[in-house]
Amino acid sequence: GFLGWLYETLSFKNMVVETLLKITYLVASIFVTLLSLGLIAVNIISAVALLIFGNLIIRITYEFMLIQIITENEEKKDVE
């Protein structure tokens, strides 16, 4: 339950940064998608471009940061 999760978090068995990164990715994707839907009334080509490329850029950035975190974790494991 909660105490097990708390113990794993405080003993650094679970990384909080990965969870925060997932939440940030989700919020950013929803924001860009809603922004592009609102932009449809102004210019449909811009809305479609924002929908595609905005979410693509967010995904690439998310995966790049996730790779950085994973490599840092692996380097720390190699030192131990």
Side-chain angles (χ1 to χ4, degrees):
F2 176 74
L3 292 177
W5 174 83
L6 184 63
Y7 174 76
E8 288 180 3
T9 301
L10 294 178
S11 64
F12 296 103
K13 290 185 180 180
N14 285 340
M15 297 301 293
V16 177
V17 176
E18 293 174 7
T19 305
L20 290 176
L21 196 59
K22 289 177 187 177
I23 292 170
T24 304
Y25 166 73
L26 185 63
V27 169
S29 294
I30 291 171
F31 176 76
V32 167
T33 302
L34 291 176
L35 186 65
S36 67
L37 291 176
L39 194 61
I40 287 177
V42 178
N43 187 350
I44 194 162
I45 295 173
S46 297
V48 171
L50 179 64
L51 182 65
I52 294 171
F53 294 115
N55 282 312
L56 183 65
I57 290 169
I58 290 171
R59 181 64 184 209
I60 291 170
T61 304
Y62 165 74
E63 292 200 11
F64 177 73
M65 290 190 298
L66 196 59
I67 289 171
Q68 292 293 332
I69 291 170
I70 290 171
T71 54
E72 287 178 11
N73 288 342
E74 291 298 320
E75 288 173 0
K76 288 179 184 177
K77 287 180 183 178
D78 290 341
V79 170
E80 295 173 359

